[in-house]
Amino acid sequence: MAIPTLNLVCKSNLHLRPLPFQCLRKVVPRSVPSVEPEESNRDSNRKQVNKKAPAWKKFNSKELGFRNSMITSPIKKVLNALKKKGYNVYLVGGCVRDLILMQTPKDFDIITSADLKEVMRTFSWCEIVGKRFPICHVHIDGIIVEVSSFYTATRGKPGRHFAHDIEAPKGCDKEDYLRWRNCLNRDFTINGFMFDPFAKIVYDYVGGMEDIIKAKVCMYLFDAAVSYISFFNQKFKLSIIILCKQVRTIAPAATSFQEDCARILRAIRITARLGFSISSETARSIKNLSYSVLRLDKGRLLMEMNYMLAYGSGEASLRLLWKLGLLDILLPFQALYFVRHGFRRRDKRTNMLLSFFFNLDKLLAPNRPCHSCLWVGILALHKSLSDEPRNPLVIAAFSLAVHNGGNLSEAVDIARRINKPHDIRFPELSDPYDLKAKALENEVLDLAESVKVSLLQMTSRRSVARAMTDYPQAPHSDIVFIPLGMYLKALSIFDCLKESGGKKFSSKKGRKIDYKSLARGDLLETRHLFARIVFDTVYPQSLGQS
């Protein structure tokens, strides 16, 4: 849904072409399903085996409020093809959680009773990937659909604590057993669902629905508390959030994270995206095992960071990374910024870095991500401003010049006519002072060079390792997960900022965001969004309204 663009407050006797920026709002529907779960007749047997195990439950998807029409066409084709061959086939994990929450899944994961070789024979373009945990990549309608097998999943993860510590309940048939074992091997309760789209049944063996319903009730209670704030004190509202909206591991948190340290980053990503909190046990284990994420290869680290920052939950992700001690390891320059400015681990305030990502998040969603070069470019710009505060007019002209493809004279002309207050909260902004056109151009070029230097430092192990040397209590990390290709892609955002010399300028036409182009990293689309975010952070719309 688009709403009108920001309007610069300029001198009335000047005629300027309108700025290309606009604001979009994300609307996340909230609803509590009124369903009565059907408890299995075998619950009593299961409780005899493990008294702490949640009751097995199944739900009708229609009663939960979602329809098969919410499943995308390529996924349906894969499901139907395997079903026609007589195999059981399910959607599993986070996509089922998102359907229950009435949100658009980032992607869909499929699991089937077919062997992976049988899956390969079913589709014309299919390949098995992964050695430790092999799955099938089915290429269909221009996307890749991930399909795993019950049997491969069981064989591929030997030694799991679930397999040996929990005995199969009596009277458990083969299909129930396969579903149950697979769900137990997953990470978090809210990811432990399995959905049969043909029978329209959601299976919950790990208590995930209880956590989701608690979270939805929490949303209503919290909204009521906000509406009637005079009747509710702050501590009560906070207790509602902490008690009801928690991400919990299926296994004990320490065991789960030692098994797969990538779950630490997934916990942060899921918590940030859903607006949940992390249970105290899970938070303690994350802090204690934070260094284990360095065992992940750089590609996996980049993927997890991209999921956090490019899909609409960047601000919340950065707050959680800082709160739980991961920012110091993964993004030391940004952690240094928080330390320098006395930003506490549980600080509720904002700062310029968080504001950049707050404005980025408003324009993104799980099904409308940006290319990773955009958030890398934002981090580089912010590092430059943190190292050397700048005149807000310089930053305004910089953002306008990025948008219009490097036309400095036009950008400077517009910036010098701005008569709108900047956000005075940020120490990255120096006191404004008037600059003549040529001086302003030179300042913009200097800022552009500074951003390029910051990009280079972010990809240098030596620079990263030295980022927090002034703070010996901080953990040491020299991890660099930004590859050369992404560095060059981010660098291209600012390459247009150089002496004009008769060069041609190219800027995006129109105001509407082309999300397909944005996800591909189209240069005009990326520059357009970068410019909007920077300008709206330095000159918020709310400050220009009386």
Side-chain angles (χ1 to χ4, degrees):
M1 178 179 69
I3 63 176
T5 182
L6 65 85
N7 293 315
L8 289 177
V9 180
C10 301
K11 297 176 183 179
S12 58
N13 61 334
L14 297 170
H15 301 282
L16 305 174
R17 80 180 196 181
L19 282 179
F21 310 144
Q22 65 175 351
C23 295
L24 298 176
R25 278 191 173 275
K26 285 190 302 186
V27 179
V28 180
R30 296 178 177 179
S31 60
V32 176
S34 56
V35 301
E36 292 297 328
E38 301 177 13
E39 296 200 13
S40 169
N41 293 328
R42 295 186 288 273
D43 282 346
S44 58
N45 291 331
R46 292 188 180 89
K47 290 175 182 177
Q48 291 174 7
V49 175
N50 185 351
K51 293 182 180 180
K52 293 184 179 180
W56 291 13
K57 298 179 182 179
K58 55 184 179 179
F59 302 82
N60 184 289
S61 62
K62 288 186 178 179
E63 293 177 348
L64 288 173
F66 70 87
R67 302 287 187 270
N68 283 6
S69 59
M70 298 169 69
I71 304 171
T72 59
S73 176
I75 306 301
K76 286 182 180 178
K77 290 179 181 179
V78 175
L79 293 168
N80 290 333
L82 290 169
K83 189 67 175 178
K84 283 180 181 179
K85 287 209 167 187
Y87 302 117
N88 292 329
V89 59
Y90 305 89
L91 294 176
V92 68
C95 63
V96 185
R97 173 203 70 214
D98 290 344
L99 291 172
I100 294 170
L101 289 169
M102 303 301 288
Q103 296 186 10
T104 303
K106 177 177 63 66
D107 49 30
F108 291 84
D109 290 326
I110 294 174
I111 192 165
T112 178
S113 59
D115 186 85
L116 292 185
K117 291 182 178 179
E118 295 168 333
V119 176
M120 285 193 69
R121 287 193 287 268
T122 304
F123 301 97
S124 58
W125 189 4
C126 181
E127 58 186 341
I128 296 177
V129 300
K131 293 182 180 179
R132 188 181 176 198
F133 308 131
I135 61 173
C136 274
H137 276 181
V138 178
H139 297 256
I140 187 168
D141 293 352
I143 70 167
I144 296 175
V145 180
E146 292 189 357
V147 180
S148 59
S149 167
F150 280 114
Y151 306 107
T152 305
T154 303
R155 293 196 304 269
K157 303 176 183 180
R160 287 262 175 142
H161 58 282
F162 308 112
H164 301 291
D165 295 349
I166 300 180
E167 181 183 347
K170 294 179 181 179
C172 174
D173 62 31
K174 180 180 179 181
E175 291 182 5
D176 242 344
Y177 177 78
L178 286 174
R179 289 191 294 260
W180 173 62
R181 277 286 298 272
N182 184 269
C183 290
L184 283 178
N185 281 336
R186 296 190 174 274
D187 47 15
F188 307 105
T189 59
I190 57 175
N191 285 349
F193 298 105
M194 198 168 289
F195 172 47
D196 183 340
F198 301 97
K200 296 181 172 57
I201 294 175
V202 173
Y203 296 93
D204 176 19
Y205 300 102
V206 296
M209 188 63 73
E210 181 181 352
D211 287 341
I212 282 184
I213 291 177
K214 280 182 180 179
K216 289 193 171 188
V217 170
C218 169
M219 291 179 186
Y220 276 90
L221 290 175
F222 182 69
D223 286 345
V226 171
S227 300
Y228 301 98
I229 192 168
S230 60
F231 297 97
F232 293 87
N233 64 47
Q234 196 67 25
K235 288 184 179 179
F236 176 71
K237 289 191 294 182
L238 185 60
S239 67
I240 293 175
I241 298 172
I242 293 175
L243 291 174
C244 296
K245 300 176 66 177
Q246 293 189 339
V247 171
R248 297 186 296 116
T249 54
I250 293 174
T255 304
S256 183
F257 295 145
Q258 286 170 347
E259 229 174 48
D260 182 1
C261 58
R263 289 175 174 173
I264 291 175
L265 299 180
R266 287 205 297 274
I268 292 173
R269 171 179 22 117
I270 292 167
T271 301
R273 183 188 161 195
L274 298 180
F276 283 30
S277 66
I278 295 179
S279 70
S280 56
E281 178 202 0
T282 304
R284 281 195 302 271
S285 297
I286 289 176
K287 291 177 182 178
N288 293 337
L289 297 169
S290 58
Y291 253 108
S292 65
V293 301
L294 295 178
R295 298 203 304 263
L296 297 170
D297 63 69
K298 294 179 182 179
R300 183 59 185 273
L301 286 173
L302 174 62
M303 182 185 77
E304 291 294 342
M305 290 302 297
N306 193 54
Y307 283 154
M308 290 185 205
L309 302 181
Y311 286 77
S313 55
E315 182 202 7
S317 296
L318 288 172
R319 286 184 183 274
L320 281 171
L321 288 170
W322 174 240
K323 178 181 177 181
L324 297 172
L326 272 297
L327 198 70
D328 316 55
I329 298 169
L330 298 172
L331 295 172
F333 287 119
Q334 285 65 43
L336 174 63
Y337 165 71
F338 282 178
V339 170
R340 280 177 174 171
H341 294 279
F343 204 79
R344 299 181 299 276
R345 297 287 178 177
R346 295 176 178 270
D347 216 318
K348 302 299 181 184
R349 296 173 298 165
T350 191
N351 54 40
M352 178 177 267
L353 177 62
L354 294 174
S355 295
F356 275 145
F357 280 90
F358 171 80
N359 285 320
L360 177 61
D361 291 343
K362 290 192 295 185
L363 303 173
L364 303 178
N367 61 330
R368 297 184 312 195
C370 67
H371 191 276
S372 49
C373 69
L374 178 55
W375 59 261
V376 171
I378 291 172
L379 291 178
L381 171 64
H382 179 264
K383 181 185 179 306
S384 298
L385 297 176
S386 178
D387 292 342
E388 182 182 350
R390 303 276 178 162
N391 186 331
L393 288 180
V394 172
I395 303 173
F398 172 84
S399 66
L400 293 166
V402 167
H403 178 267
N404 67 22
N407 191 336
L408 284 175
S409 61
E410 180 187 67
V412 165
D413 191 45
I414 296 174
R416 294 185 70 219
R417 291 167 172 78
I418 295 174
N419 186 20
K420 178 182 173 71
H422 68 279
D423 197 324
I424 61 173
R425 296 175 299 171
F426 305 140
E428 295 89 335
L429 303 178
S430 64
D431 292 333
Y433 52 90
D434 191 30
L435 286 169
K436 293 188 176 180
K438 188 59 180 177
L440 187 49
E441 279 192 28
N442 291 335
E443 291 278 357
V444 169
L445 292 172
D446 184 68
L447 176 56
E449 289 304 311
S450 175
V451 173
K452 294 174 184 179
V453 170
S454 292
L455 269 174
L456 190 60
Q457 291 174 332
M458 288 166 54
T459 56
S460 163
R461 287 185 62 181
R462 183 179 179 186
S463 296
V464 169
R466 296 178 60 186
M468 299 188 74
T469 52
D470 291 338
Y471 299 91
Q473 72 275 20
H476 172 80
S477 173
D478 64 353
I479 186 70
V480 173
F481 55 82
I482 299 173
L484 176 62
M486 189 189 298
Y487 160 75
L488 295 174
K489 185 77 174 175
L491 193 64
S492 66
I493 298 173
F494 314 106
D495 268 350
C496 59
L497 294 177
K498 55 188 70 172
E499 295 289 348
S500 299
K503 61 175 284 191
K504 293 183 178 179
F505 307 107
S506 181
S507 61
K508 173 182 166 63
K509 307 300 180 185
R511 299 175 176 179
K512 186 177 180 180
I513 299 172
D514 182 343
Y515 283 98
K516 287 185 178 180
S517 297
L518 182 65
R520 290 196 305 266
D522 175 80
L523 198 52
L524 297 185
E525 203 70 49
T526 302
R527 285 174 175 168
H528 167 71
L529 209 63
F530 177 90
R532 285 175 59 169
I533 294 156
V534 173
F535 193 96
D536 286 350
T537 301
V538 177
Y539 292 95
Q541 275 187 290
S542 57
L543 293 183
Q545 298 171 354
S546 57

